[in-house]
Amino acid sequence: MPSTRLSVRSVLPLGIASALAALLLIVPLPGSLSVVGTRWLSSAGSAVPAVELISEAGLLLLAAATAAVMARAWWNHHERRVHIAASAVGVVLAYLLSEGGKLLFAQARPCAVWQIAGECPPPGDWSLPSNHATLAFGAAAVIAITLGRSWLTWSAIALASVVAVGRVSQGVHYVHDVALGAILGVAVPLLVVIGIEAIMRVAQARRAARRG
């Protein structure tokens, strides 16, 4: 039965994934890796039929898997319901932060800068960070927090990575766009759950003090 408290072991894959995403943001400075990687992936992606379907299919699979995991845990493990609800709220907050980041950075998409075969979103539909990556890695975070099974978490992270790479291969995102989206998707749900746990511990300590 899952623990009522978030364990380091259950979220370790998320920490590794977010650390790798952070490396993509900062190494090598000042972002040349992102530009080179984006140009290479978008060039390779132009030769893949229906490359735009990769990310959409991956995100739908993640959404379905996350819904199934949440529903099963909600009914079978009542002690995890607070974590389930908090992680879902965290994904919503991560998405809102992703939308806010687009307005803040107002970064044009690579397909608006380079000649890319695929369809490009209209001007004003900004690139940084990637909503798809935010939601995909947010789904992986929910799965990790809800069940804490490493093999399932790693599977979700692998599928989320496919979603992210697919968006770069389409030419609609830079590597650093999906890296930042991945960090948001992982970090925000974790922080919300950790914050809720801290509030619950304080409340329990106060109740114990009153009884004592």
Side-chain angles (χ1 to χ4, degrees):
M1 180 180 293
S3 170
T4 56
R5 183 172 294 184
L6 196 64
S7 69
V8 173
R9 182 179 178 182
S10 66
V11 299
L12 181 60
L14 298 178
I16 294 172
S18 58
L20 291 174
L23 284 176
L24 290 176
L25 285 174
I26 63 175
V27 179
L29 295 174
S32 58
L33 176 63
S34 178
V35 173
V36 171
T38 302
R39 298 201 74 154
W40 183 84
L41 282 171
S42 60
S43 176
S46 64
V48 178
V51 65
E52 67 278 359
L53 297 180
I54 294 174
S55 292
E56 302 302 331
L59 196 56
L60 285 174
L61 283 173
L62 273 171
T66 304
V69 166
M70 291 175 68
R72 181 176 180 182
W74 186 269
W75 291 112
N76 294 339
H77 302 289
H78 293 184
E79 75 282 358
R80 304 296 293 173
R81 286 184 173 181
V82 171
H83 291 78
I84 296 168
S87 62
V89 169
V91 173
V92 174
L93 291 176
Y95 178 80
L96 293 175
L97 287 172
S98 179
E99 283 291 331
K102 288 179 182 294
L103 296 176
L104 175 65
F105 297 115
Q107 176 188 270
R109 294 181 183 269
C111 56
V113 178
W114 306 320
Q115 187 67 34
I116 293 174
E119 183 178 352
C120 192
D125 188 346
W126 307 114
S127 180
L128 178 66
S130 165
N131 285 342
H132 278 68
T134 300
L135 291 174
F137 281 90
V142 171
I143 289 172
I145 292 165
T146 299
L147 288 185
R149 295 177 184 171
S150 294
W151 70 269
L152 188 57
T153 301
W154 280 119
S155 298
I157 289 172
L159 187 52
S161 299
V162 170
V163 172
V165 170
R167 295 297 283 172
V168 179
S169 298
Q170 285 179 248
V172 295
H173 280 295
Y174 291 97
V175 170
H176 62 266
D177 297 345
V178 298
L180 182 55
I183 292 170
L184 283 174
V186 167
V188 178
L190 279 177
L191 290 173
V192 171
V193 171
I194 291 169
I196 292 295
E197 282 191 344
I199 292 170
M200 291 172 65
R201 285 197 295 270
V202 170
Q204 289 171 357
R206 288 179 177 175
R207 285 196 297 269
R210 291 194 192 101
R211 287 196 299 267

